[in-house]
Amino acid sequence: MSGAPARRPGWSLQKQAGRTFLITGATSGIGREAAFALASAGARVVLAGRSPEKLAATAAAIGQSHPGAELERLVIDLASLDSVRAAGADAQRLGQIDVLVNNAGLMGGTGRSVDGLDLMAQTNHFAPFLFTGLLLPQLLQGERPRVVNVASLAHLLVRRAHVGDPYRRRREPQLRSYGRTKLANLLTTLELQRRSDRAGLGVLATAAHPGVAATNLLHNGREIADGSRAARLLDAALAGTTQSAAAGAAPTLVAATADLPGGSYVGPDGFLALRGRPVVQRPSRAARNEASAAALWDLSERVVGLSWP
Ligand SMILES: NC(=O)c1ccc[n+]([C@@H]2O[C@H](COP(=O)([O-])OP(=O)(O)OC[C@H]3O[C@@H](n4cnc5c(N)ncnc54)[C@H](OP(=O)(O)O)[C@@H]3O)[C@@H](O)[C@H]2O)c1
């Protein structure tokens, strides 16, 4: 954590009838838990994911627990910008979207996307940046549009954002590269809020992190066997502090539904923010750097070929 005192939002999940939430990565872990919770609160939930089979299975499971749940499915593979563009076009059938939750993410690996970008950077930052821009007109149809980006404590591993060549992975431990993508999520959240305010769009941008939660991401995390001090610390943290995926989804649900100021960042209140109840926290100094955020935004627009808002 970044040292600033946490503030408690005093939150519980209210009824969400009449509101539409689109969640990426809704087929596993935190996204799946958030989809269950929002469906149980009466929201229309758009399950977005790369596997049609997993989307069908998730929709069936939610429908079984919550008969009458209003569910939609949207196929999107963040590893392909063409797939993101196709999903943006397909999403038009859904009409107004009140809250977009950019949750899908990847931790580890050194592969490249079909677009030639570092796969982790594309999955965690560039593709969600494009998707958010494409969905903006549908978000603006509502009165209280909101964009939630799911970041990570790992952003603290990066003291300064280097907005460099997105086609080249820096020589550094994989966990730091992951932290870099999550720092990008926070920079983007705060920059979106500034741009929305300047343009009078009324979009609320928030971010969340789950601490450390037992999801499929951790299997990827364990594959980061680079022997670095950060990786050893991660292993120790996982062994001693992991909380359930449902508990890990709580900060996301707060960031998506609670009455919060723009730019709020929500995470667990326990030791080192690894677990606990959701509270508003302060992102790192690097995440609050406005020059880095503006440079990242400009670079992202060039990379994905879309200028917005
Ligand atoms: N778990 C933690 O302790 C932790 C800590 C900090 C931050 N986070 C963040 O929390 C978010 C959710 O992760 P999780 O922990 O719930 O992990 P998870 O169980 O692995 O879920 C990740 C989701 O992202 C989807 N996804 C991955 N690559 C994708 C792609 N190319 N296109 C579309 N969807 C893709 C996965 O789809 P499939 O189901 O098809 O695999 C899955 O639904 C991530 O942004 C992660 O960085 C998690």
Side-chain angles (χ1 to χ4, degrees):
M1 278 194 61
S2 61
R7 285 179 288 124
R8 291 172 185 279
W11 168 86
S12 66
L13 184 56
Q14 307 290 321
K15 285 283 165 224
Q16 300 295 330
R19 288 177 70 72
T20 297
F21 293 73
L22 191 157
I23 307 174
T24 66
T27 49
S28 176
I30 289 159
R32 191 173 190 273
E33 291 293 340
F36 263 85
L38 290 165
S40 76
R44 180 169 77 130
V45 181
V46 183
L47 308 168
R50 58 184 163 180
S51 158
E53 295 76 24
K54 281 191 181 181
L55 286 172
T58 304
I62 295 175
Q64 205 164 27
S65 299
H66 306 292
E70 208 182 336
L71 302 172
E72 305 279 354
R73 291 178 241 163
L74 184 75
V75 176
I76 179 168
D77 183 355
L78 299 168
S80 157
L81 295 180
D82 275 348
S83 171
V84 177
R85 291 184 193 103
D90 187 20
Q92 288 184 20
R93 69 182 154 84
L94 302 167
Q96 178 178 318
I97 293 165
D98 298 288
V99 183
L100 166 63
V101 183
N102 286 312
N103 159 79
L106 177 69
M107 179 170 77
T110 53
R112 280 182 181 277
S113 72
V114 294
D115 304 283
L117 290 157
D118 170 59
L119 183 59
M120 198 157 55
Q122 174 159 333
T123 306
N124 294 355
H125 168 66
F126 289 106
F129 178 88
L130 172 59
F131 192 48
T132 308
L134 292 171
L135 289 193
L136 191 64
Q138 282 164 269
L139 284 158
L140 294 179
Q141 285 173 22
E143 283 179 8
R144 290 176 290 140
R146 192 181 292 214
V147 175
V148 182
N149 293 319
V150 180
S152 167
L153 281 174
H155 89 274
L156 298 172
L157 296 172
V158 183
R159 293 262 169 89
R160 199 170 135 229
H162 293 276
V163 180
D165 181 354
Y167 293 89
R168 276 220 331 253
R169 171 75 74 83
R170 295 171 68 85
R171 285 175 185 270
E172 62 185 1
Q174 286 186 42
L175 194 57
R176 191 183 296 269
S177 298
Y178 171 71
R180 210 171 280 290
T181 69
K182 293 287 141 181
L183 176 59
N185 293 154
L186 284 165
L187 287 165
T188 304
T189 304
L190 297 177
E191 181 66 10
L192 173 55
Q193 191 61 62
R194 283 188 288 270
R195 290 187 184 224
S196 170
D197 291 347
R198 280 203 296 270
L201 293 180
V203 174
L204 191 84
T206 62
H209 80 89
V212 182
T215 68
N216 285 327
L217 194 78
L218 300 184
H219 298 297
N220 295 338
R222 288 194 180 103
E223 282 163 18
I224 301 184
D226 57 19
S228 68
R229 186 160 169 266
R232 287 201 304 278
L233 280 174
L234 176 72
D235 272 348
L238 294 186
T241 57
T242 305
Q243 59 181 355
S244 69
T252 296
L253 290 166
V254 170
T257 63
D259 189 9
L260 296 169
S264 294
Y265 172 52
V266 184
D269 67 352
F271 177 64
L272 294 177
L274 295 167
R275 60 186 296 160
R277 290 158 49 87
V279 289
V280 175
Q281 299 176 351
R282 198 174 190 208
S284 69
R285 181 191 287 252
R288 290 180 278 122
N289 185 311
E290 296 190 19
S292 299
L296 177 66
W297 193 283
D298 291 346
L299 174 80
S300 304
E301 286 185 338
R302 285 200 302 278
V303 168
V304 306
L306 180 74
S307 290
W308 66 280

